[in-house]
Amino acid sequence: MISSSLANAVDFVYFDVDDTLLDHSHAEREALADLRSRYLTVFGHLSVDQLQDTYHRINRPLWRKYTEGEVEKETVKMDRFRLLLDAVDAPQADASRIGSVYLQRYAEHWAFVDGAWDTYAAVAERYPVGLLTNGFAEVQERKLKKFPEIRDRASVVLVSEETGHMKPHPRVFEVAAERAGTSPDRILYVGDSWRSDVEGGTRAGWRVAWYARNVEEGREMNGRSFAFRNWSDLLARL
C-alpha cells in the first residue's frame, strides 16, 4: 500500500489539464448543445445526449489513432465532423464550418473543475509544479492564456505534441522528467485518464494520483499510485 503521506517521497508534481484542472467534459457538452441550437436543421432531431453519444463514438477512435501516431491532427479535426454529419444523415452540411463553430463555442465554456484551482494553488505553495497535457497544442495554449494563473505557477509546461508523441508514450514522460530536473520516482502525476495518465505515468516510474471523479468501478492500483475523488483527499496525502 502507498503511504498515506507523500510529503517525503515527492519533489515535483505534474498536473494534467483536461478533466483534471479544467472541465473539458462540461465544455464539450455545452459546445455540442450550442452547435445543436445553431444548426437545428442538421442536429435538431437529436437530444444533446444523443448528439454527444454520436460524437463520442466517432471522435474517440479518431483520437486514439492520433495518440498512436496513425493520423495527423488535421485529419481528426476534419473527419470527426465529416463523419458526424454522415451519421446524422446530413453529409451536405459544411463540416469545416461546423468544426470551427464547435471550437469557438468550446472555448467559451472553459472553466475549472470544482475544487481544482484551490488544490492546484495549494500544492504549488508546497512543491514545484508543472503541466503535462495531451490535446492540440494551439488549443491548449489558448486555455493557458485564458487562465494565466495556471501557467504562472508552473515551472514546466509541456504539451505532448511537442515531443512528437502523445501520452501514454514513454518519450512524453521522459521529456517531462528531464524538464522537471527530477528523478522519475520523485514525481507525482495528477490526472484523470486511466490509459494516458495512470498507465503512462506508472510505466515511466512516476507516482500517480488518479482523479477518478466519474468512475464508478475501481481499478487495481499499484503500490505507488492511488485514486481520489475529492481534491481534499489529494491535499491530505501531500
Side-chain angles (χ1 to χ4, degrees), residues 2 6 173 187-191 193 197-203 206-211 221-222 224-228:
I2 192 169
L6 293 171
F173 293 90
I187 297 174
L188 175 68
Y189 189 35
V190 183
S193 169
D197 303 333
V198 180
E199 292 185 346
T202 54
R203 281 201 300 267
W206 295 15
R207 298 175 184 272
V208 180
W210 181 32
Y211 183 37
M221 310 291 287
N222 69 19
R224 295 174 56 78
S225 302
F226 64 93
F228 72 98

PDB file of all heavy atoms in Angstrom, residues 2 6 173 187-191 193 197-203 206-211 221-222 224-228:
ATOM      1  N   ILE A   2       0.389   2.257  -0.701  1.00  0.00           N
ATOM      2  CA  ILE A   2       1.130   3.511  -0.726  1.00  0.00           C
ATOM      3  C   ILE A   2       0.996   4.218   0.618  1.00  0.00           C
ATOM      4  O   ILE A   2      -0.023   4.095   1.306  1.00  0.00           O
ATOM      5  CB  ILE A   2       0.612   4.428  -1.855  1.00  0.00           C
ATOM      6  CG1 ILE A   2       1.558   5.608  -2.078  1.00  0.00           C
ATOM      7  CG2 ILE A   2      -0.768   4.945  -1.556  1.00  0.00           C
ATOM      8  CD1 ILE A   2       1.248   6.381  -3.345  1.00  0.00           C
ATOM      9  N   LEU A   6       2.762  11.590   1.233  1.00  0.00           N
ATOM     10  CA  LEU A   6       3.795  11.609   0.205  1.00  0.00           C
ATOM     11  C   LEU A   6       4.793  12.733   0.439  1.00  0.00           C
ATOM     12  O   LEU A   6       5.644  12.989  -0.406  1.00  0.00           O
ATOM     13  CB  LEU A   6       3.139  11.792  -1.172  1.00  0.00           C
ATOM     14  CG  LEU A   6       2.271  10.646  -1.668  1.00  0.00           C
ATOM     15  CD1 LEU A   6       1.518  11.070  -2.937  1.00  0.00           C
ATOM     16  CD2 LEU A   6       3.103   9.414  -1.950  1.00  0.00           C
ATOM     17  N   PHE A 173       6.894  11.160 -21.102  1.00  0.00           N
ATOM     18  CA  PHE A 173       7.233  11.199 -19.684  1.00  0.00           C
ATOM     19  C   PHE A 173       8.733  11.375 -19.470  1.00  0.00           C
ATOM     20  O   PHE A 173       9.154  12.010 -18.497  1.00  0.00           O
ATOM     21  CB  PHE A 173       6.711   9.927 -19.001  1.00  0.00           C
ATOM     22  CG  PHE A 173       5.215   9.857 -18.977  1.00  0.00           C
ATOM     23  CD1 PHE A 173       4.521   9.246 -20.015  1.00  0.00           C
ATOM     24  CD2 PHE A 173       4.490  10.424 -17.942  1.00  0.00           C
ATOM     25  CE1 PHE A 173       3.132   9.198 -20.010  1.00  0.00           C
ATOM     26  CE2 PHE A 173       3.105  10.388 -17.922  1.00  0.00           C
ATOM     27  CZ  PHE A 173       2.416   9.775 -18.964  1.00  0.00           C
ATOM     28  N   ILE A 187       8.522  12.032  -8.860  1.00  0.00           N
ATOM     29  CA  ILE A 187       7.481  12.833  -9.498  1.00  0.00           C
ATOM     30  C   ILE A 187       6.112  12.227  -9.196  1.00  0.00           C
ATOM     31  O   ILE A 187       5.927  11.009  -9.285  1.00  0.00           O
ATOM     32  CB  ILE A 187       7.671  12.895 -11.029  1.00  0.00           C
ATOM     33  CG1 ILE A 187       8.991  13.591 -11.379  1.00  0.00           C
ATOM     34  CG2 ILE A 187       6.502  13.615 -11.695  1.00  0.00           C
ATOM     35  CD1 ILE A 187       9.326  13.562 -12.859  1.00  0.00           C
ATOM     36  N   LEU A 188       5.159  13.078  -8.860  1.00  0.00           N
ATOM     37  CA  LEU A 188       3.760  12.678  -8.727  1.00  0.00           C
ATOM     38  C   LEU A 188       2.987  13.292  -9.882  1.00  0.00           C
ATOM     39  O   LEU A 188       3.119  14.490 -10.154  1.00  0.00           O
ATOM     40  CB  LEU A 188       3.167  13.167  -7.404  1.00  0.00           C
ATOM     41  CG  LEU A 188       1.663  12.894  -7.216  1.00  0.00           C
ATOM     42  CD1 LEU A 188       1.391  11.394  -7.067  1.00  0.00           C
ATOM     43  CD2 LEU A 188       1.116  13.667  -6.007  1.00  0.00           C
ATOM     44  N   TYR A 189       2.187  12.480 -10.553  1.00  0.00           N
ATOM     45  CA  TYR A 189       1.361  12.982 -11.657  1.00  0.00           C
ATOM     46  C   TYR A 189      -0.099  12.891 -11.266  1.00  0.00           C
ATOM     47  O   TYR A 189      -0.583  11.829 -10.864  1.00  0.00           O
ATOM     48  CB  TYR A 189       1.616  12.162 -12.919  1.00  0.00           C
ATOM     49  CG  TYR A 189       0.976  12.734 -14.175  1.00  0.00           C
ATOM     50  CD1 TYR A 189       0.871  14.098 -14.354  1.00  0.00           C
ATOM     51  CD2 TYR A 189       0.480  11.900 -15.171  1.00  0.00           C
ATOM     52  CE1 TYR A 189       0.299  14.640 -15.496  1.00  0.00           C
ATOM     53  CE2 TYR A 189      -0.095  12.424 -16.324  1.00  0.00           C
ATOM     54  CZ  TYR A 189      -0.177  13.791 -16.476  1.00  0.00           C
ATOM     55  OH  TYR A 189      -0.748  14.321 -17.617  1.00  0.00           O
ATOM     56  N   VAL A 190      -0.815  13.988 -11.401  1.00  0.00           N
ATOM     57  CA  VAL A 190      -2.239  14.054 -11.081  1.00  0.00           C
ATOM     58  C   VAL A 190      -3.012  14.136 -12.391  1.00  0.00           C
ATOM     59  O   VAL A 190      -2.874  15.109 -13.139  1.00  0.00           O
ATOM     60  CB  VAL A 190      -2.553  15.290 -10.199  1.00  0.00           C
ATOM     61  CG1 VAL A 190      -4.029  15.297  -9.809  1.00  0.00           C
ATOM     62  CG2 VAL A 190      -1.662  15.313  -8.961  1.00  0.00           C
ATOM     63  N   GLY A 191      -3.812  13.118 -12.683  1.00  0.00           N
ATOM     64  CA  GLY A 191      -4.541  13.093 -13.945  1.00  0.00           C
ATOM     65  C   GLY A 191      -5.752  12.205 -13.888  1.00  0.00           C
ATOM     66  O   GLY A 191      -5.892  11.365 -12.993  1.00  0.00           O
ATOM     67  N   SER A 193      -7.098  10.341 -16.737  1.00  0.00           N
ATOM     68  CA  SER A 193      -7.205   9.267 -17.725  1.00  0.00           C
ATOM     69  C   SER A 193      -6.454   8.020 -17.261  1.00  0.00           C
ATOM     70  O   SER A 193      -5.254   8.089 -16.970  1.00  0.00           O
ATOM     71  CB  SER A 193      -6.635   9.728 -19.069  1.00  0.00           C
ATOM     72  OG  SER A 193      -6.489   8.631 -19.959  1.00  0.00           O
ATOM     73  N   ASP A 197      -2.730   8.702 -18.306  1.00  0.00           N
ATOM     74  CA  ASP A 197      -2.087   9.232 -17.113  1.00  0.00           C
ATOM     75  C   ASP A 197      -1.616   8.139 -16.151  1.00  0.00           C
ATOM     76  O   ASP A 197      -0.456   8.124 -15.748  1.00  0.00           O
ATOM     77  CB  ASP A 197      -3.048  10.189 -16.395  1.00  0.00           C
ATOM     78  CG  ASP A 197      -3.504  11.323 -17.292  1.00  0.00           C
ATOM     79  OD1 ASP A 197      -2.752  11.672 -18.222  1.00  0.00           O
ATOM     80  OD2 ASP A 197      -4.614  11.845 -17.084  1.00  0.00           O
ATOM     81  N   VAL A 198      -2.524   7.232 -15.789  1.00  0.00           N
ATOM     82  CA  VAL A 198      -2.155   6.198 -14.821  1.00  0.00           C
ATOM     83  C   VAL A 198      -1.197   5.182 -15.447  1.00  0.00           C
ATOM     84  O   VAL A 198      -0.096   4.940 -14.932  1.00  0.00           O
ATOM     85  CB  VAL A 198      -3.399   5.492 -14.257  1.00  0.00           C
ATOM     86  CG1 VAL A 198      -2.979   4.419 -13.254  1.00  0.00           C
ATOM     87  CG2 VAL A 198      -4.333   6.493 -13.593  1.00  0.00           C
ATOM     88  N   GLU A 199      -1.602   4.591 -16.570  1.00  0.00           N
ATOM     89  CA  GLU A 199      -0.738   3.597 -17.199  1.00  0.00           C
ATOM     90  C   GLU A 199       0.554   4.223 -17.708  1.00  0.00           C
ATOM     91  O   GLU A 199       1.646   3.676 -17.517  1.00  0.00           O
ATOM     92  CB  GLU A 199      -1.478   2.893 -18.334  1.00  0.00           C
ATOM     93  CG  GLU A 199      -2.615   2.006 -17.840  1.00  0.00           C
ATOM     94  CD  GLU A 199      -3.268   1.217 -18.963  1.00  0.00           C
ATOM     95  OE1 GLU A 199      -3.033   1.547 -20.153  1.00  0.00           O
ATOM     96  OE2 GLU A 199      -4.026   0.273 -18.658  1.00  0.00           O
ATOM     97  N   GLY A 200       0.433   5.383 -18.350  1.00  0.00           N
ATOM     98  CA  GLY A 200       1.627   6.046 -18.861  1.00  0.00           C
ATOM     99  C   GLY A 200       2.574   6.456 -17.759  1.00  0.00           C
ATOM    100  O   GLY A 200       3.791   6.249 -17.847  1.00  0.00           O
ATOM    101  N   GLY A 201       2.036   7.049 -16.703  1.00  0.00           N
ATOM    102  CA  GLY A 201       2.876   7.514 -15.608  1.00  0.00           C
ATOM    103  C   GLY A 201       3.537   6.389 -14.839  1.00  0.00           C
ATOM    104  O   GLY A 201       4.732   6.464 -14.511  1.00  0.00           O
ATOM    105  N   THR A 202       2.786   5.335 -14.534  1.00  0.00           N
ATOM    106  CA  THR A 202       3.367   4.245 -13.753  1.00  0.00           C
ATOM    107  C   THR A 202       4.434   3.498 -14.555  1.00  0.00           C
ATOM    108  O   THR A 202       5.456   3.083 -13.996  1.00  0.00           O
ATOM    109  CB  THR A 202       2.275   3.272 -13.276  1.00  0.00           C
ATOM    110  OG1 THR A 202       1.495   2.812 -14.383  1.00  0.00           O
ATOM    111  CG2 THR A 202       1.364   3.944 -12.266  1.00  0.00           C
ATOM    112  N   ARG A 203       4.218   3.351 -15.865  1.00  0.00           N
ATOM    113  CA  ARG A 203       5.242   2.689 -16.688  1.00  0.00           C
ATOM    114  C   ARG A 203       6.531   3.512 -16.720  1.00  0.00           C
ATOM    115  O   ARG A 203       7.612   2.964 -16.904  1.00  0.00           O
ATOM    116  CB  ARG A 203       4.723   2.454 -18.114  1.00  0.00           C
ATOM    117  CG  ARG A 203       3.805   1.264 -18.240  1.00  0.00           C
ATOM    118  CD  ARG A 203       3.743   0.780 -19.683  1.00  0.00           C
ATOM    119  NE  ARG A 203       3.255   1.799 -20.592  1.00  0.00           N
ATOM    120  CZ  ARG A 203       1.988   1.948 -20.954  1.00  0.00           C
ATOM    121  NH1 ARG A 203       1.054   1.138 -20.484  1.00  0.00           N
ATOM    122  NH2 ARG A 203       1.632   2.895 -21.803  1.00  0.00           N
ATOM    123  N   TRP A 206       6.794   6.915 -12.412  1.00  0.00           N
ATOM    124  CA  TRP A 206       6.256   8.012 -11.613  1.00  0.00           C
ATOM    125  C   TRP A 206       5.244   7.478 -10.593  1.00  0.00           C
ATOM    126  O   TRP A 206       4.681   6.407 -10.759  1.00  0.00           O
ATOM    127  CB  TRP A 206       5.537   9.033 -12.494  1.00  0.00           C
ATOM    128  CG  TRP A 206       6.388   9.773 -13.471  1.00  0.00           C
ATOM    129  CD1 TRP A 206       7.662   9.473 -13.876  1.00  0.00           C
ATOM    130  CD2 TRP A 206       6.005  10.949 -14.191  1.00  0.00           C
ATOM    131  NE1 TRP A 206       8.099  10.393 -14.798  1.00  0.00           N
ATOM    132  CE2 TRP A 206       7.103  11.310 -15.015  1.00  0.00           C
ATOM    133  CE3 TRP A 206       4.855  11.726 -14.226  1.00  0.00           C
ATOM    134  CZ2 TRP A 206       7.063  12.426 -15.855  1.00  0.00           C
ATOM    135  CZ3 TRP A 206       4.812  12.834 -15.057  1.00  0.00           C
ATOM    136  CH2 TRP A 206       5.908  13.190 -15.861  1.00  0.00           C
ATOM    137  N   ARG A 207       4.986   8.267  -9.587  1.00  0.00           N
ATOM    138  CA  ARG A 207       3.814   8.055  -8.741  1.00  0.00           C
ATOM    139  C   ARG A 207       2.634   8.730  -9.428  1.00  0.00           C
ATOM    140  O   ARG A 207       2.805   9.744 -10.110  1.00  0.00           O
ATOM    141  CB  ARG A 207       4.035   8.658  -7.343  1.00  0.00           C
ATOM    142  CG  ARG A 207       5.192   8.027  -6.588  1.00  0.00           C
ATOM    143  CD  ARG A 207       5.445   8.724  -5.267  1.00  0.00           C
ATOM    144  NE  ARG A 207       6.609   8.153  -4.606  1.00  0.00           N
ATOM    145  CZ  ARG A 207       6.567   7.103  -3.789  1.00  0.00           C
ATOM    146  NH1 ARG A 207       5.395   6.517  -3.525  1.00  0.00           N
ATOM    147  NH2 ARG A 207       7.665   6.641  -3.233  1.00  0.00           N
ATOM    148  N   VAL A 208       1.435   8.186  -9.263  1.00  0.00           N
ATOM    149  CA  VAL A 208       0.264   8.750  -9.938  1.00  0.00           C
ATOM    150  C   VAL A 208      -0.896   8.874  -8.961  1.00  0.00           C
ATOM    151  O   VAL A 208      -1.209   7.934  -8.221  1.00  0.00           O
ATOM    152  CB  VAL A 208      -0.170   7.885 -11.138  1.00  0.00           C
ATOM    153  CG1 VAL A 208      -1.405   8.511 -11.813  1.00  0.00           C
ATOM    154  CG2 VAL A 208       0.963   7.743 -12.148  1.00  0.00           C
ATOM    155  N   ALA A 209      -1.520  10.041  -8.971  1.00  0.00           N
ATOM    156  CA  ALA A 209      -2.769  10.268  -8.249  1.00  0.00           C
ATOM    157  C   ALA A 209      -3.876  10.335  -9.298  1.00  0.00           C
ATOM    158  O   ALA A 209      -3.944  11.292 -10.076  1.00  0.00           O
ATOM    159  CB  ALA A 209      -2.701  11.564  -7.452  1.00  0.00           C
ATOM    160  N   TRP A 210      -4.689   9.311  -9.363  1.00  0.00           N
ATOM    161  CA  TRP A 210      -5.731   9.197 -10.386  1.00  0.00           C
ATOM    162  C   TRP A 210      -6.989   9.910  -9.928  1.00  0.00           C
ATOM    163  O   TRP A 210      -7.606   9.522  -8.943  1.00  0.00           O
ATOM    164  CB  TRP A 210      -6.027   7.722 -10.647  1.00  0.00           C
ATOM    165  CG  TRP A 210      -7.068   7.472 -11.699  1.00  0.00           C
ATOM    166  CD1 TRP A 210      -7.329   8.224 -12.796  1.00  0.00           C
ATOM    167  CD2 TRP A 210      -7.991   6.370 -11.737  1.00  0.00           C
ATOM    168  NE1 TRP A 210      -8.352   7.674 -13.529  1.00  0.00           N
ATOM    169  CE2 TRP A 210      -8.768   6.529 -12.906  1.00  0.00           C
ATOM    170  CE3 TRP A 210      -8.207   5.274 -10.917  1.00  0.00           C
ATOM    171  CZ2 TRP A 210      -9.782   5.627 -13.249  1.00  0.00           C
ATOM    172  CZ3 TRP A 210      -9.200   4.375 -11.257  1.00  0.00           C
ATOM    173  CH2 TRP A 210      -9.973   4.556 -12.413  1.00  0.00           C
ATOM    174  N   TYR A 211      -7.358  10.978 -10.648  1.00  0.00           N
ATOM    175  CA  TYR A 211      -8.579  11.722 -10.340  1.00  0.00           C
ATOM    176  C   TYR A 211      -9.750  10.981 -10.970  1.00  0.00           C
ATOM    177  O   TYR A 211     -10.070  11.180 -12.136  1.00  0.00           O
ATOM    178  CB  TYR A 211      -8.465  13.149 -10.866  1.00  0.00           C
ATOM    179  CG  TYR A 211      -9.653  14.021 -10.529  1.00  0.00           C
ATOM    180  CD1 TYR A 211     -10.316  13.900  -9.308  1.00  0.00           C
ATOM    181  CD2 TYR A 211     -10.098  14.988 -11.424  1.00  0.00           C
ATOM    182  CE1 TYR A 211     -11.390  14.706  -8.989  1.00  0.00           C
ATOM    183  CE2 TYR A 211     -11.179  15.807 -11.118  1.00  0.00           C
ATOM    184  CZ  TYR A 211     -11.821  15.661  -9.902  1.00  0.00           C
ATOM    185  OH  TYR A 211     -12.892  16.463  -9.596  1.00  0.00           O
ATOM    186  N   MET A 221      -4.811  -0.511  -8.270  1.00  0.00           N
ATOM    187  CA  MET A 221      -3.692   0.411  -8.364  1.00  0.00           C
ATOM    188  C   MET A 221      -2.439  -0.288  -7.838  1.00  0.00           C
ATOM    189  O   MET A 221      -2.521  -1.177  -6.985  1.00  0.00           O
ATOM    190  CB  MET A 221      -3.958   1.665  -7.519  1.00  0.00           C
ATOM    191  CG  MET A 221      -5.300   2.325  -7.762  1.00  0.00           C
ATOM    192  SD  MET A 221      -5.422   3.082  -9.384  1.00  0.00           S
ATOM    193  CE  MET A 221      -4.363   4.517  -9.161  1.00  0.00           C
ATOM    194  N   ASN A 222      -1.286   0.121  -8.355  1.00  0.00           N
ATOM    195  CA  ASN A 222      -0.059  -0.448  -7.797  1.00  0.00           C
ATOM    196  C   ASN A 222       0.323   0.303  -6.518  1.00  0.00           C
ATOM    197  O   ASN A 222      -0.349   1.251  -6.111  1.00  0.00           O
ATOM    198  CB  ASN A 222       1.072  -0.437  -8.830  1.00  0.00           C
ATOM    199  CG  ASN A 222       1.568   0.966  -9.154  1.00  0.00           C
ATOM    200  OD1 ASN A 222       1.356   1.916  -8.402  1.00  0.00           O
ATOM    201  ND2 ASN A 222       2.239   1.114 -10.282  1.00  0.00           N
ATOM    202  N   ARG A 224       2.465   2.406  -5.819  1.00  0.00           N
ATOM    203  CA  ARG A 224       2.966   3.773  -5.936  1.00  0.00           C
ATOM    204  C   ARG A 224       1.893   4.736  -6.434  1.00  0.00           C
ATOM    205  O   ARG A 224       2.181   5.895  -6.698  1.00  0.00           O
ATOM    206  CB  ARG A 224       4.166   3.801  -6.889  1.00  0.00           C
ATOM    207  CG  ARG A 224       5.372   3.021  -6.368  1.00  0.00           C
ATOM    208  CD  ARG A 224       6.477   2.963  -7.432  1.00  0.00           C
ATOM    209  NE  ARG A 224       6.886   4.287  -7.878  1.00  0.00           N
ATOM    210  CZ  ARG A 224       7.688   5.095  -7.188  1.00  0.00           C
ATOM    211  NH1 ARG A 224       8.154   4.721  -6.010  1.00  0.00           N
ATOM    212  NH2 ARG A 224       8.027   6.271  -7.662  1.00  0.00           N
ATOM    213  N   SER A 225       0.676   4.262  -6.555  1.00  0.00           N
ATOM    214  CA  SER A 225      -0.403   5.089  -7.096  1.00  0.00           C
ATOM    215  C   SER A 225      -1.652   4.961  -6.227  1.00  0.00           C
ATOM    216  O   SER A 225      -1.807   4.003  -5.483  1.00  0.00           O
ATOM    217  CB  SER A 225      -0.729   4.665  -8.533  1.00  0.00           C
ATOM    218  OG  SER A 225       0.412   4.761  -9.366  1.00  0.00           O
ATOM    219  N   PHE A 226      -2.532   5.932  -6.363  1.00  0.00           N
ATOM    220  CA  PHE A 226      -3.787   5.882  -5.618  1.00  0.00           C
ATOM    221  C   PHE A 226      -4.850   6.650  -6.382  1.00  0.00           C
ATOM    222  O   PHE A 226      -4.541   7.492  -7.238  1.00  0.00           O
ATOM    223  CB  PHE A 226      -3.619   6.453  -4.206  1.00  0.00           C
ATOM    224  CG  PHE A 226      -3.262   7.921  -4.164  1.00  0.00           C
ATOM    225  CD1 PHE A 226      -4.239   8.900  -4.049  1.00  0.00           C
ATOM    226  CD2 PHE A 226      -1.928   8.319  -4.233  1.00  0.00           C
ATOM    227  CE1 PHE A 226      -3.912  10.246  -4.015  1.00  0.00           C
ATOM    228  CE2 PHE A 226      -1.580   9.665  -4.190  1.00  0.00           C
ATOM    229  CZ  PHE A 226      -2.573  10.628  -4.075  1.00  0.00           C
ATOM    230  N   ALA A 227      -6.093   6.350  -6.083  1.00  0.00           N
ATOM    231  CA  ALA A 227      -7.224   7.043  -6.699  1.00  0.00           C
ATOM    232  C   ALA A 227      -7.847   7.992  -5.684  1.00  0.00           C
ATOM    233  O   ALA A 227      -7.844   7.729  -4.483  1.00  0.00           O
ATOM    234  CB  ALA A 227      -8.257   6.031  -7.182  1.00  0.00           C
ATOM    235  N   PHE A 228      -8.377   9.095  -6.173  1.00  0.00           N
ATOM    236  CA  PHE A 228      -9.113  10.012  -5.300  1.00  0.00           C
ATOM    237  C   PHE A 228     -10.259  10.630  -6.079  1.00  0.00           C
ATOM    238  O   PHE A 228     -10.209  10.752  -7.302  1.00  0.00           O
ATOM    239  CB  PHE A 228      -8.187  11.098  -4.733  1.00  0.00           C
ATOM    240  CG  PHE A 228      -7.742  12.137  -5.741  1.00  0.00           C
ATOM    241  CD1 PHE A 228      -8.385  13.366  -5.838  1.00  0.00           C
ATOM    242  CD2 PHE A 228      -6.669  11.881  -6.603  1.00  0.00           C
ATOM    243  CE1 PHE A 228      -7.971  14.321  -6.765  1.00  0.00           C
ATOM    244  CE2 PHE A 228      -6.251  12.836  -7.521  1.00  0.00           C
ATOM    245  CZ  PHE A 228      -6.903  14.051  -7.603  1.00  0.00           C
TER     246      PHE A 228
END
